[in-house]
C-alpha cells in the first residue's frame, strides 16, 4: 500500500544521491551487508559479575576494535556471513546492554549528565525510569524517501 | 504525555523546546504502555517481514531509552537496520554505546548558536556537543541531517549550520531542509516563533544552503 503513497520511496534505493550518502544502509536492504548490531552479536566479550563500569568500558573498547575489523572483512567479502556460525553466549551487544544498566545508576546518557539513579526509582530531567514506556508503534510513511516505510517506536 | 508543574512537557526528552509539536499527542496513552523487550523485538521483526526498511527509534528522544533498546536488539531475529532518530545532544558514553549498533544516525541540527539553543530548547553548550556528535556519527555510521527552519533564525542558525555541514562533514552530506515549522505549545512566548515560515524566507533558506556548497539537499 505504501508504494501508492510514496512512489518516490520505491525508487529511492536507486537514487544516486541516496546511494552515495548511505551506501551501507542501501546495501543492508539489498542483502549485501549486515546491520551493525547483528555483527556486534558475533564479537565475543567476557566480563565477570564483579567487573566495575570502568573495567567494562575497557573490555568494550577492545571488543569494538575487533568488531571494526570483522565489519571490514564482512563488508569486503573476505568473510561470508555463513562463516560466522553461532553467536557466542556473551557478546559485545550483551556487554553494551550491561553497561547500559550500569549507566542508569548515575545517568549520563544525555549531555545534561544529571546523574539520576534511575535504578533506585529517581527521575531526572527526561523523567524516563527503568521501564520501557511506549507511546505508539507504527509504520511511518512521512520520513525521507529512502527511510520509509519505517517501523517507528515512540518511547517516552 | 505528562505536563509537569514547571509547565514543561515530558515526553521522555532531554530537550524542552517551547515549540514542541508533540505536546498534543493523543491523551489516550497518557501513561504509555509498558513494553517488554521481547515484545518490541517481535514487533520489529514482523515489521521487517512486511517490508519496513528499518527500526526507527524515536522519543521524545531515544537517548534515555538506549538501555532498553540494547536489550531489545538481543531478541531480534531479522536483520533490521537501526535508524537512530535524535536531537544529537548525547554524551560521549552514549556515543560509545551507539557505535557498532546504529546504521543511520538521523540527527536534528537545530541551532547555530548556544544562545538560541538555550532560549528555545533549554539546553546549555549546544554547539560543542552537536558538532562533536555529528563528527562521530559520520565516523561510526551513516549520517542524515534534518534542519527544521525556524522563522527569524536563518542568519543566526541556518547559516552556521550549513557552513559546518559543508566544511566539516562534506558537501555531499544528505540534508533535509524542512519548511513545515508550525507554532505549537508555548511558541507564542517568542515573537519570531508565532508564525510559519514565509515563502521568501524559504527561498532565502535554500539560497543560503546552496551558497554553503551543499549538494545533497532534500527540500
Amino acid at each position: 500500500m505504501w508504494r501508492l503513497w510514496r512512489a518516490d520511496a520505491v525508487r529511492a534505493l536507486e537514487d544516486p544521491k541516496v546511494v552515495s550518502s548511505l551506501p551501507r544502509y542501501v546495501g543492508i536492504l539489498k542483502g549485501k551487508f549486515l546491520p551493525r548490531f547483528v555483527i556486534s552479536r558475533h564479537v565475543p566479550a567476557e566480563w565477570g559479575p564483579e567487573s566495575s563500569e570502568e573495567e567494562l568500558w575497557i573490555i568494550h573498547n577492545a571488543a569494538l576494535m575487533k568488531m571494526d575489523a570483522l565489519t571490514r572483512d564482512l563488508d569486503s567479502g573476505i568473510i561470508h556471513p555463513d562463516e560466522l556460525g553461532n553467536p557466542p553466549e556473551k557478546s559485545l551487544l550483551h556487554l553494551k546492554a550491561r553497561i547500559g544498566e550500569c549507566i542508569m545508576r548515575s545517568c549520563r546518557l544525555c549531555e545534561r549528565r544529571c546523574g539520576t539513579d534511575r535504578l533506585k526509582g529517581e527521575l531526572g530531567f527526561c523523567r524516563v525510569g527503568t521501564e520501557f514506556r511506549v507511546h505508539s508503534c507504527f509504520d511511518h510513511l512521512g520520513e525521507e524517501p529512502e527511510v520509509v516505510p519505517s517501523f517507528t517506536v515512540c518511547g517516552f | 504525555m505528562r505536563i509537569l508543574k514547571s509547565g514543561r512537557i515530558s515526553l521522555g526528552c532531554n530537550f524542552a523546546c517551547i515549540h514542541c509539536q508533540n505536546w498534543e499527542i493523543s491523551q489516550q496513552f497518557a501513561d504509555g504502555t509498558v513494553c517488554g523487550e521481547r515484545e518490541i523485538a517481535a514487533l520489529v521483526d514482523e515489521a521487517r517481514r512486511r517490508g519496513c526498511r528499518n527500526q526507527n527509534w524515536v522519543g521524545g528522544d531515544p537517548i534515555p531509552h538506549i538501555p532498553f533498546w540494547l536489550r531489545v536488539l538481543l531478541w531480534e531475529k531479522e536483520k533490521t537496520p537501526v535508524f537512530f532518530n535524535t536531537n544529537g545532544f548525547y554524551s560521549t558514553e552514549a556515543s560509545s554505546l551507539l557505535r557498532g549498533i546504529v546504521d543511520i544516525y538521523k540527527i536534528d541540527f537545530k541551532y547555530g548558536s548556544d544562545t538560541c539553543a538555550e532560549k528555545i530548547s533549554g539546553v546549555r553548550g549546544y554547539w560543542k556537543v552537536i558538532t562533536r556528535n555529528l563528527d562521530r556519527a559520520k565516523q561510526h555510521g551513516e549520517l542524515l541531517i534534518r534542519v527544521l527552519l525556524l522563522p527569524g533564525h536563518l542568519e543566526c542558525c541556518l547559516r552556521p549550520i550549513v557552513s559546518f555541514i559543508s566544511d566539516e562533514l562534506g558537501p555531499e552530506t544528505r540534508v533535509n531542509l524542512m519548511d513545515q515549522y508550525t507554532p505549537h505549545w508555548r511558541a507564542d512566548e517568542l515573537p519570531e516563533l508565532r508564525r510559519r515560515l514565509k515563502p521568501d524566507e524559504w527561498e532565502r533558506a535554500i539560497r543560503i544552503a546552496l551558497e554553503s556548497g551543499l549538494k545533497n539537499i532534500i527540500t
Side-chain angles (χ1 to χ4, degrees):
Chain A
M1 195 61 187
W2 61 273
R3 288 176 173 81
L4 285 176
W5 298 105
R6 292 296 303 265
D8 58 333
V10 181
R11 297 184 298 268
L13 302 185
E14 314 302 327
D15 178 345
K17 289 195 166 176
V18 173
V19 178
S20 67
S21 54
L22 307 169
R24 200 169 185 284
Y25 169 72
V26 172
I28 295 169
L29 295 178
K30 294 187 170 177
K32 218 171 127 192
F33 305 126
L34 293 172
R36 290 177 197 273
F37 84 89
V38 176
I39 303 177
S40 76
R41 282 200 296 229
H42 286 275
V43 178
E46 283 298 331
W47 68 96
E50 303 297 317
S51 303
S52 66
E53 190 184 319
E54 198 185 341
E55 287 163 340
L56 294 176
W57 277 117
I58 293 170
I59 303 166
H60 173 272
N61 295 344
L64 257 186
M65 304 278 277
K66 285 186 203 151
M67 172 161 169
D68 285 346
L70 181 59
T71 308
R72 270 195 302 276
D73 289 350
L74 282 161
D75 287 6
S76 61
I78 294 175
I79 296 178
H80 190 271
D82 294 344
E83 294 172 54
L84 288 172
N86 291 325
E89 207 165 291
K90 276 166 116 182
S91 69
L92 174 56
L93 184 57
H94 290 85
L95 177 55
K96 283 177 181 287
R98 173 82 190 94
I99 297 175
E101 293 280 339
C102 286
I103 285 191
M104 288 202 287
R105 215 165 278 152
S106 169
C107 193
R108 286 150 287 134
L109 287 164
C110 93
E111 192 62 42
R112 286 185 189 273
R113 311 181 73 87
C114 67
T116 299
D117 188 344
R118 292 166 57 180
L119 298 183
K120 251 195 190 158
E122 292 172 18
L123 299 176
F125 186 90
C126 69
R127 304 188 70 79
V128 177
T130 48
E131 287 169 325
F132 196 3
R133 285 178 180 271
V134 174
H135 172 272
S136 53
C137 302
F138 60 103
D139 295 2
H140 203 331
L141 297 182
E143 308 272 58
E144 291 77 1
E146 63 273 28
V147 179
V148 299
S150 175
F151 186 64
T152 301
V153 180
C154 303
F156 78 104
Chain B
M1 183 185 74
R2 287 147 285 175
I3 298 183
L4 306 178
K5 278 185 192 148
S6 59
R8 186 166 71 72
I9 320 165
S10 167
L11 275 162
C13 194
N14 57 334
F15 271 24
C17 305
I18 66 164
H19 59 292
C20 180
Q21 61 171 352
N22 288 333
W23 71 277
E24 59 182 357
I25 281 179
S26 160
Q27 301 277 323
Q28 71 186 92
F29 296 103
D31 290 317
T33 310
V34 176
C35 291
E37 50 253 32
R38 294 177 77 160
E39 190 186 342
I40 297 288
L43 290 172
V44 172
D45 284 341
E46 265 172 48
R48 181 69 187 121
R49 288 195 286 269
R50 72 171 169 264
C52 283
R53 286 173 169 165
N54 49 67
Q55 45 187 313
N56 191 337
W57 301 359
V58 192
D61 200 280
I63 300 165
H65 307 285
I66 293 171
F68 312 136
W69 274 111
L70 293 170
R71 293 203 303 267
V72 170
L73 291 179
L74 288 168
W75 295 100
E76 289 187 16
K77 294 186 174 68
E78 301 295 334
K79 300 177 177 70
T80 315
V82 174
F83 185 85
F84 188 64
N85 199 336
T86 181
N87 59 35
F89 199 71
Y90 49 85
S91 65
T92 51
E93 291 93 326
S95 159
S96 298
L97 286 179
L98 295 170
R99 182 175 172 194
I101 297 296
V102 171
D103 296 293
I104 297 186
Y105 291 83
K106 197 258 45 196
I107 298 183
D108 288 311
F109 201 164
K110 291 173 186 280
Y111 305 108
S113 88
D114 287 352
T115 316
C116 297
E118 185 161 1
K119 189 169 74 169
I120 302 173
S121 291
V123 284
R124 291 200 180 139
Y126 176 80
W127 182 260
K128 193 176 149 214
V129 176
I130 191 80
T131 52
R132 175 191 75 204
N133 287 336
L134 285 162
D135 275 330
R136 286 181 178 218
K138 193 192 170 187
Q139 286 170 41
H140 300 163
E142 290 172 339
L143 185 57
L144 174 62
I145 299 175
R146 276 188 203 153
V147 182
L148 175 66
L149 300 167
L150 293 179
H153 286 264
L154 298 189
E155 291 305 322
C156 52
C157 291
L158 179 65
R159 204 176 276 281
I161 286 172
V162 290
S163 297
F164 178 86
I165 300 173
S166 185
D167 299 345
E168 306 296 328
L169 305 169
E172 307 295 337
T173 311
R174 195 154 165 84
V175 180
N176 189 357
L177 272 191
M178 309 201 305
D179 66 346
Q180 59 263 56
Y181 169 78
T182 313
H184 281 292
W185 186 227
R186 291 160 43 198
D188 64 342
E189 290 173 20
L190 290 177
E192 78 270 21
L193 295 188
R194 289 176 190 159
R195 60 171 176 87
R196 301 197 52 163
L197 209 67
K198 292 175 187 160
D200 66 303
E201 274 177 309
W202 173 232
E203 280 167 29
R204 193 152 61 88
I206 295 174
R207 213 165 46 238
I208 291 172
L210 291 173
E211 278 166 15
S212 76
L214 289 181
K215 293 184 169 60
N216 198 345
I217 303 172
I218 310 170
T219 52

